Amino acid sequence: MYGIMMDLNLFKKINDTYGHTVGDDAIRTVSRLLSQWAEITDTVIRFAGDEFIILCLDRSQDEVTAFMERIRENLIAYNETEKKPYELSFSMGCAKHMGENQNLDDFLRDMDQMMYQDKEKFRRTLCR
């Protein structure tokens, strides 16, 4: 099993600029989109305020990596067609669960560390 942890980029800015009602709409939209894009064997979870986890069963690492890229591409297409006052994007991190040899906290930590590496890349692109 692989897990993908995702953090909605610039969510605080959405809330601060457009209000919490729009922020709530963004969270509901993300939930709906991720559920549509996930496979039947995947589980989409809202983990925290603007974080989501997708648990992917019966997928290889290459398949999970390709799925993450499709999520990014799908969000770009969504942003272009929906013309919301904000853009949706994620920082994402992926980790493989090591079965009986790994507890849940370690699995979550591994996903979180990978996600924050991606978040740092996103922040660097904003500073350009």
Side-chain angles (χ1 to χ4, degrees), residues 27-75:
I27 292 292
R28 282 190 302 276
T29 297
V30 166
S31 298
R32 179 179 49 81
L33 292 173
L34 291 176
S35 295
Q36 287 174 358
W37 299 334
E39 297 290 330
I40 192 83
T41 57
D42 298 336
T43 302
V44 178
I45 302 162
R46 181 176 177 196
F47 183 63
D50 64 335
E51 291 184 0
F52 293 82
I53 292 175
I54 300 179
L55 300 176
C56 302
L57 300 176
D58 300 325
R59 289 196 198 212
S60 68
Q61 184 169 356
D62 288 343
E63 290 170 325
V64 173
T65 300
F67 177 47
M68 291 169 65
E69 186 56 34
R70 279 194 311 278
I71 290 171
R72 290 184 201 283
E73 291 167 359
N74 288 344
L75 281 175

Side-chain angles (χ1 to χ4, degrees), residues 3-125:
I4 304 168
M5 183 177 283
M6 297 170 282
D7 181 73
L8 190 55
N9 291 323
L10 304 175
F11 181 67
K12 182 178 180 343
K13 184 176 178 181
I14 293 171
N15 274 334
D16 291 350
T17 304
Y18 305 106
H20 290 275
T21 301
V22 174
D24 290 346
D25 179 64
I27 292 292
R28 282 190 302 276
T29 297
V30 166
S31 298
R32 179 179 49 81
L33 292 173
L34 291 176
S35 295
Q36 287 174 358
W37 299 334
E39 297 290 330
I40 192 83
T41 57
D42 298 336
T43 302
V44 178
I45 302 162
R46 181 176 177 196
F47 183 63
D50 64 335
E51 291 184 0
F52 293 82
I53 292 175
I54 300 179
L55 300 176
C56 302
L57 300 176
D58 300 325
R59 289 196 198 212
S60 68
Q61 184 169 356
D62 288 343
E63 290 170 325
V64 173
T65 300
F67 177 47
M68 291 169 65
E69 186 56 34
R70 279 194 311 278
I71 290 171
R72 290 184 201 283
E73 291 167 359
N74 288 344
L75 281 175
I76 290 168
Y78 175 84
N79 289 328
E80 289 173 355
T81 60
E82 291 301 312
K83 304 295 185 203
K84 298 273 188 177
Y86 55 85
E87 288 192 358
L88 297 175
S89 73
F90 281 115
S91 293
M92 294 188 263
C94 175
K96 181 178 182 179
H97 189 272
M98 303 310 242
E100 296 175 9
N101 299 326
Q102 185 180 38
N103 65 40
L104 180 59
D105 288 336
D106 291 341
F107 181 47
L108 291 171
R109 184 201 66 232
D110 291 348
M111 283 187 285
D112 191 58
Q113 287 175 344
M114 297 304 292
M115 181 190 69
Y116 273 97
Q117 288 178 16
D118 195 43
K119 178 69 79 177
E120 191 56 37
K121 287 181 203 172
F122 175 78
R123 287 183 181 133
R124 284 194 304 266
T125 63

